[in-house]
Amino acid sequence: MAEIAKEVNGGDARDLHSLLSSPARDFLIRNNGEQVKIESLKGKKIGLYFSAAWCGPCQRFTPQLVDIYNELSSNVGFEVVFVSGDEDEDSFKDYFSKMPWLAVPFTDSETRDRLDEVFKVRGIPNLVMIDDEGKLVNENGVGVIRSYGADAYPFTPEKMKEIKEEEERARREQTLRSVLVTPSRDFVITRDGNKVPVSQLEGKTIGLLFSVASYRQCKEFTSKLEEVYQKLKENNEDFEIVLISLEDDEEAFKQDFETNPWLALPFNDKSSSKLTRHFMLSTLPTLVILGPDGKTRHSNVAEAIDDYGVVAYPFTPEKFEELKAIEKGKLEAQTLESLLVSGDLNYVLGKDGAKVLVSELVGKNILLYFSAHWCPPCRGFTPKLVEVYKQIKEKDEAFELIFISSDRDQESFDEYYSQMPWLALPFGDPRKTSLARTFKVGGIPMLAALGPTGKTVTKEARDLVGAHGADAYPFTEERVKEIEAKYTEMAKEWPEKVKHVLHEEHELELTRVPVYICDKCDEEGQIWSYHCDECDFDLHAKCALKEDANINGDDAVKEGGGESQDGWVCDGNVCTKS
């Protein structure tokens, strides 16, 4: 923020009128065509809302901003000005029709482009808070609105500091009541709608389950947690769970909650978002444990529930030290057979469908490949892994790879496996669950390397294959150090910084970048890049340092730039210029 604030609020600062007007226009518009003079914004805090109809994250954020606007605009001096990134006027009008605030006319593309440049808009939705003199107040309006809503008004640094200090005080003085009780509610609910006073939960160990019913990971975890919950109830443990649903669909919330045996906050309870901040939520599902005193005992035991089930209770530091010692003992005793043999399941499949005994693989370097046909990154990675596999096999016959499928049906498994030259667990094999737990597979594709003794060498073999190919074999720490030394030596004579005609705005700095696409030759690069962090620009060393680096590079620059819809990439909560 400091950099933008310096530019906007510094010597070249513009007043509000010059920011929002043009030589032919001194007004903004409403969606009914009404013209509103820019001078009428005097005395108000203004949000410049950079958004577009084609942007999915924008479409999701706009209703939230509408709610905040309606809450604030009638009570305090707050206004929003829509700065459209739409491609055509019809899209603009349709999108603007859902907005109760003002906009820069779509026809004034010059002002819209200028505002993009002044506030360095690189992604949307983007909400920039300014005062009535055009000075920057807060450049992260989207994050502030998502986190704090109307409570953050007037969005100034002083207000944000006040909020942060209040949050820290709340953490220090935390009790069960401060977490679950609000001025308008002192109860939680059962699945049949009955109210349970929070006072009845005091003195118990409480699990706060943050979840979204429609997320697959949450569904899978909930079924495991229900088993643990029922066992603890059978053992008469003083334990209770309160669901804090982050689901935005009430019907989905009801369908999920009515199948679960625990308590919950009411749907869409306003304290839910406050609690996600209070407990610094970073992933879903999350199960926060509060001790009988209401203090946080553990910030998230979801992984422990997955790994150990009811054995992890009561989730104390002492219990986790005990479990850590057990886990360490298992790792030290780990062999290929302890991983892959379970009762009569003592084999994997060969390409011809024959059973290959696990005992025949003992003493080899093994890769375990967790993957699935439905997963696009897996399908993108598999062809590269096939090439690497063949190269390693040519060098060392004492090497093998085993595919561990997350496919949803036999047909998908068969089609995907037909592209692979290695071994596999049979489709639906129960050993997959224990292997996924052992290697803590949180996402696919995932590649774990085992040494000749069967012990884990690394769980990050996918990154090593991506960066170094077959050269990374056998994926040991020693081999990684050898590769690091080689790359360090390689770059010893290269200049630290270069200028290049394809990127005249900034110097390019020699930087370690695991994998990138060279902006000159469009080929993949690894490890060393001449890189501009601000612009996300990369050149191979060979492209940056070759003798003709100063030739006219116009024909190497892609046409069109990043101003159109096709020049944007939407991911999660933001669309960014590619």
Side-chain angles (χ1 to χ4, degrees):
M1 177 169 171
E3 182 182 343
I4 297 178
K6 183 178 180 182
E7 181 170 330
V8 177
N9 301 342
D12 295 330
R14 303 167 174 84
D15 60 28
L16 186 66
H17 189 277
S18 63
L19 269 175
L20 298 178
S21 68
S22 71
R25 178 185 53 79
D26 64 353
F27 59 86
L28 301 166
I29 60 170
R30 295 197 183 278
N31 56 24
N32 61 2
E34 177 189 352
Q35 297 180 359
V36 177
K37 293 288 187 181
I38 293 171
E39 283 75 10
S40 68
L41 299 180
K42 201 68 180 171
K44 296 184 177 182
K45 288 289 187 296
I46 298 115
L48 300 181
Y49 184 38
F50 300 86
S51 185
W54 52 260
C55 163
C58 300
Q59 291 279 7
R60 292 192 291 274
F61 177 70
T62 296
Q64 187 176 356
L65 183 57
V66 168
D67 289 342
I68 301 305
Y69 176 83
N70 290 336
E71 183 176 348
L72 291 176
S73 61
S74 59
N75 299 317
V76 297
F78 179 61
E79 188 54 78
V80 173
V81 178
F82 173 36
V83 185
S84 174
D86 286 303
E87 296 297 310
D88 59 82
E89 192 162 10
D90 286 343
S91 297
F92 164 80
K93 287 180 178 178
D94 181 62
Y95 190 32
F96 187 35
S97 69
K98 305 169 186 174
M99 302 176 180
W101 44 70
L102 305 172
V104 175
F106 181 79
T107 53
D108 190 356
S109 59
E110 184 176 332
T111 297
R112 293 188 288 119
D113 291 344
R114 173 164 46 80
L115 289 169
D116 273 357
E117 187 61 34
V118 168
F119 293 101
K120 301 185 184 302
V121 177
R122 299 292 180 263
I124 54 175
N126 193 322
L127 184 63
V128 176
M129 303 296 189
I130 60 176
D131 64 17
D132 62 350
E133 295 180 351
K135 291 187 177 180
L136 184 67
V137 173
N138 195 315
E139 69 171 325
N140 186 30
V142 171
V144 169
I145 292 294
R146 280 177 174 152
S147 296
Y148 303 108
D151 291 341
Y153 183 83
F155 315 110
T156 59
E158 293 77 17
K159 181 62 177 179
M160 301 313 300
K161 181 181 178 184
E162 178 187 323
I163 289 174
K164 296 292 184 185
E165 289 175 348
E166 172 59 26
E167 288 180 338
E168 289 302 318
R169 185 197 63 76
R171 291 188 186 100
R172 289 194 304 271
E173 300 175 6
Q174 177 181 303
T175 64
L176 185 64
R177 289 189 62 81
S178 73
V179 169
L180 292 180
V181 173
T182 70
S184 61
R185 178 185 51 73
D186 63 355
F187 59 86
V188 291
I189 59 173
T190 64
R191 60 185 174 184
D192 53 9
N194 293 328
K195 297 177 180 179
V196 176
V198 171
S199 58
Q200 292 187 13
L201 304 180
E202 292 180 322
K204 294 185 176 184
T205 300
I206 304 293
L208 302 178
L209 174 60
F210 293 86
S211 180
V212 174
S214 54
Y215 285 11
R216 178 180 56 84
Q217 296 94 324
C218 293
K219 284 182 179 178
E220 292 174 353
F221 176 71
T222 296
S223 63
K224 295 175 186 175
L225 181 60
E226 187 171 350
E227 292 178 17
V228 171
Y229 179 83
Q230 299 291 13
K231 287 178 182 177
L232 291 174
K233 287 296 183 183
E234 290 168 8
N235 294 339
N236 295 315
E237 298 289 352
D238 229 2
F239 177 69
E240 192 51 77
I241 291 174
V242 178
L243 170 65
I244 301 169
S245 176
L246 304 181
E247 180 65 66
D248 56 11
D249 180 85
E250 186 169 11
E251 191 58 37
F253 165 78
K254 288 179 179 177
Q255 289 178 2
D256 175 56
F257 185 36
E258 69 186 12
T259 64
N260 295 324
W262 39 70
L263 306 170
L265 294 189
F267 172 72
N268 213 19
D269 193 274
K270 285 192 173 181
S271 67
S272 297
S273 59
K274 183 178 179 181
L275 290 173
T276 65
R277 297 194 306 275
H278 180 85
F279 292 105
M280 300 183 201
L281 204 71
S282 61
T283 188
L284 289 175
T286 286
L287 184 65
V288 177
I289 300 297
L290 307 182
D293 58 357
K295 304 292 184 187
T296 302
R297 177 175 285 178
H298 199 287
S299 60
N300 188 9
V301 298
E303 188 174 301
I305 294 286
D306 271 338
D307 289 348
Y308 305 108
V310 73
V311 178
Y313 187 79
F315 313 111
T316 58
E318 295 77 16
K319 172 57 74 171
F320 282 108
E321 284 300 316
E322 177 187 326
L323 294 174
K324 189 188 293 184
I326 294 171
E327 189 70 23
K328 184 179 178 182
K330 284 184 179 179
L331 288 174
E332 289 174 350
Q334 178 178 298
T335 64
L336 190 64
E337 289 167 311
S338 72
L339 287 172
L340 292 178
V341 174
S342 177
D344 294 336
L345 296 172
N346 62 350
Y347 62 89
V348 294
L349 295 179
K351 285 304 297 178
D352 56 0
K355 295 180 179 180
V356 177
L357 295 176
V358 173
S359 58
E360 295 177 21
L361 303 176
V362 171
K364 293 188 175 185
N365 289 302
I366 304 288
L367 285 177
L368 301 178
Y369 183 37
F370 298 85
S371 185
H373 184 266
W374 53 259
C375 163
C378 298
R379 294 198 306 272
F381 179 67
T382 295
K384 179 167 187 172
L385 185 58
V386 169
E387 292 304 311
V388 169
Y389 172 83
K390 291 176 179 177
Q391 291 168 22
I392 296 174
K393 286 291 278 186
E394 287 179 3
K395 296 190 296 183
D396 188 0
E397 273 298 319
F399 164 71
E400 198 46 81
L401 191 151
I402 303 171
F403 170 42
I404 301 165
S405 172
S406 292
D407 285 303
R408 293 163 180 160
D409 55 69
Q410 184 74 50
E411 184 180 356
S412 297
F413 170 85
D414 291 341
E415 180 184 347
Y416 194 32
Y417 186 44
S418 69
Q419 305 165 23
M420 303 174 182
W422 43 67
L423 308 175
L425 282 191
F427 173 74
D429 194 295
R431 288 172 288 178
K432 180 245 178 183
T433 301
S434 62
L435 287 168
R437 183 180 301 120
T438 296
F439 293 99
K440 302 190 186 312
V441 180
I444 55 175
M446 193 264 197
L447 201 60
L450 309 176
T453 64
K455 290 186 172 57
T456 303
V457 171
T458 180
K459 299 174 186 176
E460 311 299 331
R462 176 197 172 189
D463 291 341
L464 294 175
V465 167
H468 310 298
D471 201 32
Y473 182 75
F475 312 106
T476 58
E477 188 175 335
E478 293 75 14
R479 180 56 188 152
V480 172
K481 286 179 179 178
E482 290 173 4
I483 293 172
E484 289 289 319
K486 181 180 75 173
Y487 278 106
T488 300
E489 182 66 26
M490 175 193 299
K492 191 175 288 185
E493 302 300 323
W494 295 346
E496 291 186 7
K497 295 182 179 181
V498 299
K499 290 286 291 182
H500 199 282
V501 293
L502 294 185
H503 194 74
E504 295 179 336
E505 301 97 316
H506 309 102
E507 278 191 305
L508 301 174
E509 188 169 351
L510 186 61
T511 307
R512 295 295 294 268
V513 181
V515 180
Y516 60 91
I517 299 297
C518 176
D519 284 284
K520 182 175 182 183
C521 67
D522 282 335
E523 293 181 4
E524 184 179 286
Q526 299 168 355
I527 308 302
W528 287 119
S529 163
Y530 277 97
H531 177 75
C532 175
D533 191 55
E534 183 175 344
C535 304
D536 194 22
F537 184 91
D538 293 278
L539 291 180
H540 290 132
K542 65 180 181 181
C543 292
L545 301 178
K546 62 192 297 186
E547 289 182 0
D548 63 349
N550 290 319
I551 65 170
N552 188 317
D554 291 349
D555 61 353
V557 181
K558 294 180 180 177
E559 295 180 1
E563 297 302 321
S564 70
Q565 179 178 343
D566 291 340
W568 293 74
V569 176
C570 296
D571 181 18
N573 289 323
V574 68
C575 292
T576 55
K577 290 182 179 178
S578 59

